[in-house]
Amino acid sequence: MPRKQDSEGGQAGTAGVGRRAVTKSAALVAGLLLAGGGGSAAEAQARGRGPTGQGGSTGRGGSTGQEQQAGQAGARAGDDITVRLPAPTGPHRTGVTTLYLVDRSRRDPWEPLPVREVMVTACYPARAVHGYPVAPQMTEEAAQSFKVIDPLLHPGLPKSGVNWAATMSHSHTDAPAQTVPRPVLLHSPGGGDPRTLGTGLAEELASHGHVVVTIDHPGDASEVEFPHQTQYREKVRHTVFRGDPRTDPKIFRTAIDTRIADIRFVLDQLALLAAGHNPDAEGGGVPEDLGRALDLRRVGAYGHSAGGTAVSEALYEDRRIGAAVDLEGCLDHPPEAPGREGQLFPVARHGVDRPLLLMGTDGFPDPKGLERSWSAMLAHPRGHTHRRQLRHAAHWVFTDYAVMAPQLQAAGLMTAHDRNKLVGPIAPEASVPRVRKYVHTFFAEHLSVRG
């Protein structure tokens, strides 16, 4: 999760960061929003949502034309453009739902909150979709925060000119699930990124027969929208990060430890769902038969950047996870002092007895730093770790930016330099199918029923 900005925020211990850093972070974001950068939901509605990109068909079968369309400039919606996501290629239509999960055994590590709250999205093969609306990639309120915060985390993204709330997924809200037990995949996004930036890959994997659960890590993710405001937080919670968490070893350790705990907690909640219970903290409706679709004997995890670090270590720590894909996440801690090497995570020190795929790019900004921990991982003799490389690509090519950045460049809202820095010069017609194929093929091969 490389960033080129200086790290501000206060020091973080293994149990959390200082209240002073959190207050500073919240005040900065609030100031940006109040200054008018975020706009309002009413203003977005007044501009109109315009074409959604869903069309009359979300056809299956891997049409090359669909992938090419995703690389073109988004359709105009008033003065703003709407970027499009590529359609999934698998044989199944997909449903989608969100769950609000509360871990009352943990306090939040980033802010003085009495519990740890996690928002997840489940994308799954649907039994029927007629009458169930297609879901947007992100909600209106999350989109308003996204357009202010994410250009700060990813310099070069436009600060205006995009109607982020208008981008549609290809999945149908709360559609009933197929009753066939499916492998379950957990997704952890990159540091500072929301789970919504992994929509395209999640839909692709679900269309090929997986139940994909994408996890937001509040306090870490740029923005997380909850069902409602509480007495101790606002409805939309913003990131506490300022710059690259790897520049501060204590913050980085807290971030990865928290992500691993979140992943394991979500897996616990899915077990409740599979047993016929409703894990949603407010008792919100769960799509029909979603619990029956979960085959928790076949669980995988994939993550980008910090998410890749977290799922790799979770694979090592939790035997319920049978395989994992690390999309360019380092497997070592940052050094405690200049000139020293950071400590390897246990997964890199000791290896694993289950499959792990390391997938990188030739445009990663610190290839030597990444190589140290990945080489250690690959050196273990049992041969469970594999590696793939994307050429002419950069770090965020594993996210929805792979198709968004070229559309923003074509619309004149992003320079070629900034697009290449974010995702590389590789065309989405090449990058999207390759990432999808590598990840899907890996899980299809390795997630056989165990025990």
Side-chain angles (χ1 to χ4, degrees):
M1 50 184 176
R3 303 281 191 271
K4 293 300 186 182
Q5 303 161 323
D6 293 332
S7 177
E8 294 178 4
Q11 296 291 311
T14 57
V17 295
R19 185 180 304 228
R20 183 176 177 185
V22 171
T23 303
K24 181 178 180 181
S25 168
L28 177 56
V29 172
L32 288 167
L33 293 171
L34 290 173
S40 68
E43 290 171 343
Q45 291 171 350
R47 285 194 299 269
R49 293 175 70 91
T52 63
Q54 71 196 75
S57 170
T58 56
R60 304 294 183 251
S63 168
T64 303
Q66 290 173 329
E67 300 295 356
Q68 291 174 338
Q69 181 185 32
Q72 297 170 355
R76 289 274 171 184
D79 292 333
D80 293 343
I81 72 160
T82 299
V83 293
R84 302 174 186 268
L85 297 178
T89 65
H92 303 289
R93 297 279 188 156
T94 54
V96 66
T97 195
T98 60
L99 296 173
Y100 168 48
L101 307 177
V102 178
D103 186 351
R104 303 189 185 280
S105 71
R106 287 188 292 156
R107 296 181 65 87
D108 192 88
W110 302 114
E111 300 187 70
L113 309 181
V115 295
R116 177 62 176 170
E117 302 170 295
V118 180
M119 292 297 298
V120 304
T121 294
C123 191
Y124 51 90
R127 186 170 72 246
V129 299
H130 181 72
Y132 296 90
V134 175
Q137 180 190 28
M138 61 183 80
T139 65
E140 194 84 39
E141 290 187 66
Q144 294 305 313
S145 294
F146 179 90
K147 74 176 185 180
V148 177
I149 299 171
D150 284 69
L152 301 177
L153 298 176
H154 303 292
L157 286 178
K159 298 178 181 179
S160 61
V162 185
N163 186 355
W164 293 107
T167 298
M168 302 301 289
S169 73
H170 300 86
S171 299
H172 298 257
T173 304
D174 293 334
Q178 296 179 14
T179 56
V180 178
R182 303 288 185 179
V184 176
L185 302 179
L186 307 177
H187 170 240
S188 180
D193 287 340
R195 72 189 191 277
T196 49
L197 281 177
T199 298
L201 183 54
E203 289 190 312
E204 172 71 2
L205 293 168
S207 79
H208 283 279
H210 298 84
V211 176
V212 184
V213 180
T214 61
I215 305 170
D216 256 338
H217 304 284
D220 177 330
S222 55
E223 66 283 330
V224 180
E225 182 181 353
F226 293 94
H228 57 71
Q229 180 177 338
T230 70
Q231 61 181 353
Y232 46 80
R233 60 146 176 79
E234 299 295 324
K235 184 179 181 184
V236 179
R237 185 175 168 188
H238 301 115
T239 184
V240 303
F241 290 167
R242 291 294 169 267
D244 183 358
R246 278 188 67 85
T247 62
D248 188 314
K250 292 181 180 179
I251 288 178
F252 183 75
R253 183 180 297 274
T254 299
I256 302 304
D257 287 349
T258 301
R259 284 166 170 263
I260 294 170
D262 287 347
I263 291 167
R264 301 183 73 172
F265 168 66
V266 168
L267 195 49
D268 292 340
Q269 300 306 292
L270 293 179
L272 291 176
L273 181 59
H277 304 289
N278 183 356
D280 190 276
E282 294 193 328
V286 175
E288 184 179 351
D289 290 325
L290 180 57
R292 296 177 64 188
L294 303 174
D295 185 352
L296 295 178
R297 297 170 299 172
R298 295 183 289 170
V299 175
Y302 66 100
H304 172 238
S305 198
T309 307
V311 301
S312 298
E313 186 60 23
L315 176 71
Y316 176 82
E317 296 182 13
D318 196 323
R319 296 201 64 84
R320 292 176 295 177
I321 302 173
V325 176
D326 176 353
L327 302 171
E328 211 159 55
C330 297
L331 298 178
D332 61 349
H333 292 274
E336 296 288 340
R340 297 183 182 178
E341 290 186 339
Q343 185 181 32
L344 294 173
F345 278 94
V347 65
R349 290 203 306 271
H350 306 299
V352 287
D353 59 359
R354 282 150 291 150
L356 173 65
L357 174 63
L358 305 176
M359 194 167 172
T361 68
D362 59 357
F364 189 73
D366 182 20
K368 290 184 178 179
L370 184 68
E371 191 63 31
R372 173 179 174 261
S373 64
W374 279 23
S375 294
M377 189 75 236
L378 289 161
H380 293 290
R382 288 174 287 185
H384 294 292
T385 303
H386 310 274
R387 184 172 186 172
R388 291 280 190 178
Q389 184 95 338
L390 255 66
R391 297 183 59 197
H392 311 299
H395 189 54
W396 279 273
V397 76
F398 300 112
T399 72
D400 290 336
Y401 285 133
V403 294
M404 290 175 164
Q407 293 175 63
L408 297 174
Q409 181 190 358
L413 296 174
M414 193 172 194
T415 67
H417 171 80
D418 289 331
R419 170 255 178 94
N420 292 346
K421 188 176 177 182
L422 190 67
V423 301
I426 188 172
E429 297 93 332
S431 65
V432 171
R434 288 177 193 171
V435 172
R436 288 176 165 187
K437 179 182 178 181
Y438 289 150
V439 176
H440 170 244
T441 301
F442 178 80
F443 284 127
E445 178 182 354
H446 294 294
L447 280 188
S448 58
V449 177
R450 304 187 315 282

